[in-house]
Amino acid sequence: MLEQLDQNLKAGLAALEKLSDEEALLQWRAEYLGKRSTVMEAFTVMRDLGPEERPKVGKRANEVRQALEAALEERRESVRQAVLLQALETDRLDVTLPGRPQTLGRLHPVTQTLRRIYKIFAEMGFQVYRSREVESDDYNFTFLNMPPHHPARDMVDTFYTSQGGVILRTHTSAGQIHAMREYCPEPIRVILPGMCYRFEQISARYEMQFTQVEGLAVGRDITFSDLKGTLSDFARRLFRVEVRTRFRASHFPFTEPSAEMDIECFICGGEGCGVCKHTGWLEILGSGVVHPNVLRHGGYDPAEFTGFAFGMGPERLTMLLHQIGDIRNFWRNDLRFLEQF
Ligand code: PHE
């Protein structure tokens, strides 16, 4: 029996040496340490031996089992190491390969300009007031002194819906009435940003959709000087230079008097160039003192309240800020353009 155990140990160790994967190790374990293995059988056979031999066989069987178990553990560890080394060899990472570039998004140039506009007006006490893009004819035209068949409507023809009197707003001025009706009789200082729509002959200067920022101040003792001061200061803050401004008499049905504001061309400094069409000035917005009828439609008594309003085009301002030649770039979604800002 003892001899059998020694042989079994030798054979086991020899067989183990040749194994190189987990599967084979499991089989080996069944063969040399399983129920039917020589070692385990030795424990059974042992019971029938005399008191002389029994402890010897028992001791030896235990030693052989421990030796086989220890050898298996050792082999298993080296098999694991070998598998790992193999994997490192074949699945090797080439750290010199260039990585995948991360595409970073950014704010649209018009959004960037809008945020600068919000900040400037916030510093002057103007809140942002959001107003709808789908409007009624009344808010967009009639309440702003443009009754049906008024010629000014033709200049800003727009998109009509199949529902009578429901249109896409042609300007943010429609929001003036919403703001007044909400705040009346409190004083107002708001800017109203958003998309507007017009049926345009699309060209480098005109798009059928564009952003506007409307401004509205209503209160007691508000004068045209307040309008001039606010807007001149705005221009200086936006263009970050001691830019000169001028107001030209103009006409809007919903303001009286009305004015367009120009800034001195900062490309040529007023000398005259291609950008300012050799006038030395660039038009940036329309404005005026709120017409009494408009105040009345908003719920205010024009004998007590006055106000001023203005409307500017952030695309236009962005074009001036970055010397962009074609307004159609803004909504074309061409990354080669957008990534420059
Ligand atoms: N709504 C005018 C436009 O679309 C701009 C404007 C706004 C003029 C407010 C005067 C007062 O051109």
Side-chain angles (χ1 to χ4, degrees):
M1 193 72 230
L2 290 176
E3 209 161 290
Q4 223 172 311
L5 280 170
D6 285 343
Q7 258 171 26
N8 182 244
L9 177 60
K10 231 188 257 170
L13 294 180
L16 195 58
E17 280 301 302
K18 300 191 189 99
L19 306 183
S20 57
D21 63 86
E22 195 66 31
E23 181 90 356
L25 289 177
L26 283 174
Q27 267 173 30
W28 182 93
R29 187 164 178 263
E31 191 178 337
Y32 289 94
L33 288 163
K35 271 194 203 125
R36 299 282 212 46
S37 63
T38 311
V39 192
M40 292 312 181
E41 259 163 22
F43 288 111
T44 321
V45 171
M46 197 177 86
R47 286 183 222 135
D48 303 328
L49 297 177
E52 187 94 335
E53 261 192 297
R54 197 190 298 159
K56 283 188 195 153
V57 171
K59 186 165 170 264
R60 192 73 194 125
N62 260 329
E63 284 167 359
V64 169
R65 187 176 63 176
Q66 275 164 18
L68 287 172
E69 273 171 355
L72 173 67
E73 231 9 82
E74 204 177 296
R75 187 74 202 149
R76 186 171 271 157
E77 191 49 42
S78 60
V79 165
R80 251 185 228 139
Q81 286 292 336
V83 167
L84 182 64
L85 278 177
Q86 168 88 16
L88 287 176
E89 194 61 34
T90 49
D91 305 339
R92 192 188 288 165
L93 257 187
D94 183 351
V95 292
T96 64
L97 277 176
R100 282 190 202 111
Q102 286 277 347
T103 42
L104 280 184
R106 67 190 74 201
L107 293 177
H108 190 279
V110 170
T111 306
Q112 293 179 29
T113 304
L114 277 173
R115 290 193 177 184
R116 286 178 62 184
I117 295 172
Y118 300 161
K119 190 158 176 281
I120 293 167
F121 279 107
E123 284 165 4
M124 297 198 259
F126 285 77
Q127 279 183 293
V128 172
Y129 186 92
R130 298 275 170 191
S131 178
R132 62 189 67 161
E133 285 176 33
V134 180
E135 260 305 350
S136 73
D137 182 284
D138 283 344
Y139 276 81
N140 195 83
F141 293 120
T142 311
F143 297 155
L144 295 172
N145 253 351
M146 287 179 276
H149 310 299
H150 190 286
R153 288 183 171 221
D154 293 341
M155 286 164 30
V156 289
D157 208 356
T158 183
F159 296 90
Y160 294 84
T161 66
S162 51
Q163 203 175 325
V166 177
I167 60 172
L168 298 188
R169 67 177 173 191
T170 63
H171 53 182
T172 43
S173 302
Q176 284 190 26
I177 305 289
H178 288 291
M180 286 190 218
R181 289 187 172 182
E182 184 171 333
Y183 287 117
C184 184
E186 298 298 320
I188 299 179
R189 235 188 271 178
V190 291
I191 53 171
L192 305 96
M195 196 61 83
C196 304
Y197 305 85
R198 290 182 194 177
F199 180 72
E200 290 281 4
Q201 282 296 327
I202 295 170
S203 71
R205 284 172 69 90
Y206 296 103
E207 253 286 20
M208 61 159 207
Q209 78 176 83
F210 56 94
T211 321
Q212 274 196 339
V213 176
E214 188 89 4
L216 175 68
V218 176
R220 294 177 178 85
D221 305 321
I222 289 182
T223 67
F224 193 77
S225 304
D226 296 313
L227 166 105
K228 282 185 79 173
T230 305
L231 292 177
S232 306
D233 195 36
F234 164 75
R236 278 195 290 271
R237 294 190 195 209
L238 183 69
F239 292 101
R240 291 193 184 123
V241 278
E242 272 309 301
V243 67
R244 289 208 300 156
T245 52
R246 77 173 182 187
F247 288 81
R248 267 180 304 107
S250 182
H251 172 76
F252 299 102
F254 36 95
T255 48
E256 182 60 36
S258 304
E260 267 160 336
M261 186 169 98
D262 298 341
I263 58 167
E264 192 176 35
C265 179
F266 49 85
I267 307 293
C268 61
E271 300 270 301
C273 69
V275 173
C276 61
K277 299 209 174 61
H278 304 282
T279 61
W281 296 94
L282 298 163
E283 183 199 322
I284 64 163
L285 55 81
S287 63
V289 171
V290 181
H291 194 286
N293 287 347
V294 176
L295 284 172
R296 251 180 237 117
H297 280 301
Y300 289 87
D301 177 2
E304 205 185 326
F305 287 91
T306 50
F308 66 79
F310 55 87
M312 60 181 82
E315 283 88 347
R316 187 93 219 273
L317 295 172
T318 310
M319 288 168 80
L320 296 177
L321 283 167
H322 298 294
Q323 299 181 34
I324 297 164
D326 191 329
I327 197 169
R328 290 167 295 189
N329 281 321
F330 290 113
W331 307 114
R332 217 175 238 161
N333 282 339
D334 186 337
L335 288 180
R336 288 169 303 180
F337 170 74
L338 295 171
E339 280 174 347
Q340 294 176 53
F341 304 96

